[in-house]
Amino acid sequence: MLPIVDVAPKRLSDYIADAGEEAVQRLRDAAEPLRGARILQVNSTSYGGGVAELLATHIPLLRDLGIDASWAVIEGSDEFFAVTKAVHNGLQGMDVEWTPHMQDVYWERVRANAAAFDGTYDHVLIHDPQPAGSLEVLEEMGRRSGKWTWRIHIDLSNTNERVWSFFEPIINRYDATIFTLEEFVQAGVKGPRVALIPPSIDPTSEKNRELPAAIVAETLARYGVDPDRPLAVQISRFDPWKDPLGVIDAYRIAREEVPGLQLVMAGSMASDDPEGMEYLEKTLAHAGHDREVHLLTDADGVGHVEVNAFQQAADVIVQKSTREGFGLVVAEGMWKRKPVIGGNVGGIRLQISEGETGFLVEGADECGKRLSELLLDPALAARMGDAGRDRVRERFLSLRELEDHLKLFASLGAGA
């Protein structure tokens, strides 16, 4: 049996204050046709990434709606996760190696996990490439049940053709696919129904609910951040696509105009990301001996509360990605009424309204100039922060995403 992730219970009624009664009722209505249905969601890690954060909210809310929902994770090896990291990079456009041996490593672990797949379900939602081949293996074994949907969370606007051509026939076996943006939908996806559903944030989570000022102050003191000087924050994995080196360059440019500027960059080291430590070391080397650059991970005790505190304390949130499927941290920053500077790519463009809720930038120079502009104009930063909060409430809270999922599942039917 695949490992099942335990999740803390949640109550839909607790979301009324943030999302509104109308959004809560819409979700209840969408769930009614699926009451009692068995739904399984599968991904590759129970912590350290955006998908795990989403599922920690979605599963308990589905249960509160009367749906029998479970979350399973596949088990991999170091070699398997090295291969799937190459897949991730290739699907986002990197020129990666993609050999027959790598494909064999992928299928060996997928088959092992499929053999542990237990039970029958009305709907199965598979997240990202790591477990994508499970459906094909189960069909070969004659053990498929229910309707299957594949949800891809990464930026597919410029895929490596060799890697995508491997996954295309795998994906075309599904009943439905979920992409974040139209520009991510691949021309070769012909069989499944295509849905466009952006991800979301949970306003009641440890990471997003408002913290007492004392906790924010204690967190800053614990990590040596001065609360009386300007602060820019980027929260993300240490990954080339998040461009942490470029963020440091932008900070250095802004510091010429704002001499007291501090930078916090914090991220978790996810179990399915073997490149994380290597890129953290590159980032540390790029920061050098600058005491105003704070590079932190979960190994330093940074969890959801600490991330929340840094975001609440920030004057500006940065997410200078060069590829991005969505970027939950953008919505998180906007929800906390912070202006956000994001890379002009993928799902970040879906969230930031240029000049209204933040700025979209192309490189370190532009990022640095926008950073100093916001730091030197608090009134502009406050207007953008207020507009960002409203935009997230309207479009990017958990209840809307769940409603979209349930409407899709209901349209597919349970099937055999």
Side-chain angles (χ1 to χ4, degrees):
M1 183 175 180
L2 291 177
I4 300 297
V5 180
D6 290 329
V7 292
K10 291 180 179 288
R11 296 177 59 86
L12 185 58
S13 58
D14 292 338
Y15 290 74
I16 293 174
D18 290 311
E21 291 187 7
E22 182 181 345
V24 169
Q25 188 56 50
R26 284 201 311 268
L27 180 54
R28 291 192 190 281
D29 293 342
E32 194 58 36
L34 291 156
R35 182 173 290 275
R38 298 195 74 206
I39 295 178
L40 176 70
Q41 302 204 40
V42 183
N43 78 319
S44 61
T45 182
S46 61
Y47 68 92
V51 178
E53 290 182 24
L54 292 172
L55 295 182
T57 292
H58 291 189
I59 298 303
L61 284 179
L62 289 171
R63 291 174 180 172
D64 193 52
L65 288 162
I67 294 168
D68 183 1
S70 300
W71 170 14
V73 294
I74 61 170
E75 296 183 301
S77 62
D78 291 345
E79 188 177 23
F80 173 77
F81 286 129
V83 167
T84 57
K85 184 63 180 183
V87 167
H88 176 103
N89 289 336
L91 290 178
Q92 292 205 142
M94 189 179 289
D95 184 16
V96 298
E97 189 177 38
W98 187 238
T99 66
H101 174 71
M102 295 170 74
Q103 296 172 34
D104 290 342
V105 169
Y106 178 82
W107 281 119
E108 186 275 327
R109 291 311 306 160
V110 168
R111 292 184 186 281
N113 280 286
F117 195 99
D118 189 39
T120 59
Y121 298 90
D122 299 296
H123 293 275
V124 179
L125 179 55
I126 298 291
H127 292 268
D128 286 328
Q130 295 94 328
S134 304
L135 175 57
E136 180 170 336
V137 174
L138 287 169
E139 285 182 337
E140 291 172 355
M141 298 167 64
R143 292 177 51 204
R144 169 184 170 148
S145 66
K147 298 294 185 179
W148 284 60
T149 299
W150 183 62
R151 205 287 183 236
I152 181 68
H153 293 270
I154 59 181
D155 184 339
L156 297 184
S157 58
N158 184 33
T159 60
N160 179 302
E161 291 185 9
R162 297 191 309 278
V163 179
W164 173 249
S165 66
F166 173 82
F167 280 93
E168 185 178 286
I170 293 172
I171 303 314
N172 276 323
R173 291 176 175 265
Y174 282 77
D175 299 291
T177 56
I178 300 174
F179 297 87
T180 297
L181 289 170
E182 179 72 39
E183 67 190 73
F184 294 170
V185 181
Q186 297 297 297
V189 178
K190 300 294 187 183
R193 182 179 304 181
V194 173
L196 302 178
I197 302 177
S200 60
I201 64 166
D202 182 345
T204 74
S205 71
E206 279 190 327
K207 206 175 184 186
N208 291 309
R209 60 177 174 247
E210 188 169 356
L211 294 174
I215 291 179
V216 176
E218 184 278 328
T219 302
L220 296 183
R222 192 179 350 141
Y223 292 100
V225 179
D226 187 343
D228 297 321
R229 291 194 283 124
L231 176 63
V233 171
Q234 174 158 309
I235 306 294
S236 65
R237 293 187 186 189
F238 289 93
D239 177 302
W241 302 111
K242 312 301 183 184
D243 195 19
L245 308 189
V247 174
I248 293 173
D249 292 339
Y251 146 80
R252 287 171 173 159
I253 291 167
R255 193 176 55 183
E256 294 177 4
E257 299 290 330
V258 187
L261 180 60
Q262 304 164 97
L263 174 65
V264 167
M265 300 177 69
S268 59
M269 309 304 288
S271 61
D272 62 348
D273 185 3
E275 284 186 345
M277 187 57 68
E278 176 186 347
Y279 220 76
L280 172 59
E281 291 172 357
K282 288 182 179 180
T283 308
L284 286 164
H286 196 65
H289 299 292
D290 190 335
R291 295 173 61 86
E292 306 301 341
V293 177
H294 304 265
L295 301 180
L296 305 168
T297 73
D298 44 347
D300 301 300
V302 174
H304 290 330
V305 172
E306 288 76 15
V307 165
N308 191 349
F310 288 134
Q311 290 174 328
Q312 284 190 205
D315 295 286
V316 180
I317 301 289
V318 179
Q319 188 57 44
K320 211 192 87 54
S321 302
T322 58
R323 291 279 191 277
E324 191 65 74
F326 184 72
L328 294 174
V329 290
V330 173
E332 290 167 8
M334 291 163 63
W335 181 248
K336 297 175 179 72
R337 292 190 169 91
K338 304 299 178 179
V340 182
I341 300 173
N344 188 15
V345 294
I348 295 178
R349 288 197 289 253
L350 191 63
Q351 300 175 75
I352 294 178
S353 178
E354 172 66 17
E356 180 183 350
T357 65
F359 291 119
L360 296 167
V361 297
E362 298 289 349
D365 286 348
E366 187 179 4
C367 184
K369 291 174 183 176
R370 289 301 195 185
L371 181 54
S372 60
E373 179 181 352
L374 287 167
L375 292 169
L376 294 170
D377 191 345
L380 172 62
R383 287 197 302 272
M384 286 185 167
D386 288 341
R389 171 87 172 196
D390 291 341
R391 187 173 180 86
V392 173
R393 189 175 191 272
E394 292 169 4
R395 303 187 185 192
F396 303 122
L397 295 185
S398 304
L399 304 196
R400 188 274 311 153
E401 185 182 6
L402 274 175
E403 180 186 350
D404 290 346
H405 283 183
L406 292 176
K407 286 179 176 178
L408 174 62
F409 293 160
S411 73
L412 294 173

